[in-house]
């Protein structure tokens, strides 16, 4: 099934990056509330990596 708009994973992730970062932080807050700080840090690390990659791409 092919869509007229050739949407790659990267282009979709970039389009919805704000939503993805919000969801990752919500997940991290929930994990902190469950007493799982290491798991929360893991998801915040993913968010940080995505945000940094976006910043590098925008500066090119």
């Amino acid at each position: 099934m092919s869509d007229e708009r050739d949407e790659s994973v990267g282009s979709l992730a970039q389009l919805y990056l704000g939503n993805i970062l919000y969801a990752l932080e919500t997940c991290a807050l929930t994990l902190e509330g469950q007493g799982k700080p290491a798991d929360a840090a893991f998801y915040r690390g993913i968010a940080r990596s995505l945000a940094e990659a976006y910043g590098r791409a925008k500066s090119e």
Side-chain angles (χ1 to χ4, degrees):
M1 197 173 205
S2 178
D3 190 4
E4 291 177 13
R5 299 170 293 160
D6 186 27
E7 295 176 334
S8 68
V9 172
S11 67
L12 284 172
Q14 185 174 359
L15 179 63
Y16 295 107
L17 183 60
N19 301 78
I20 293 166
L21 295 175
Y22 176 81
L24 287 167
E25 180 59 19
T26 301
C27 178
L29 288 170
T30 300
L31 288 166
E32 279 184 343
Q34 295 173 352
K36 300 177 182 178
D39 293 338
F42 174 78
Y43 286 98
R44 285 193 175 113
I46 293 171
R48 187 172 27 264
S49 294
L50 287 170
E52 289 171 355
Y54 179 74
R56 284 191 302 273
K58 286 303 247 184
S59 68
E60 291 178 351

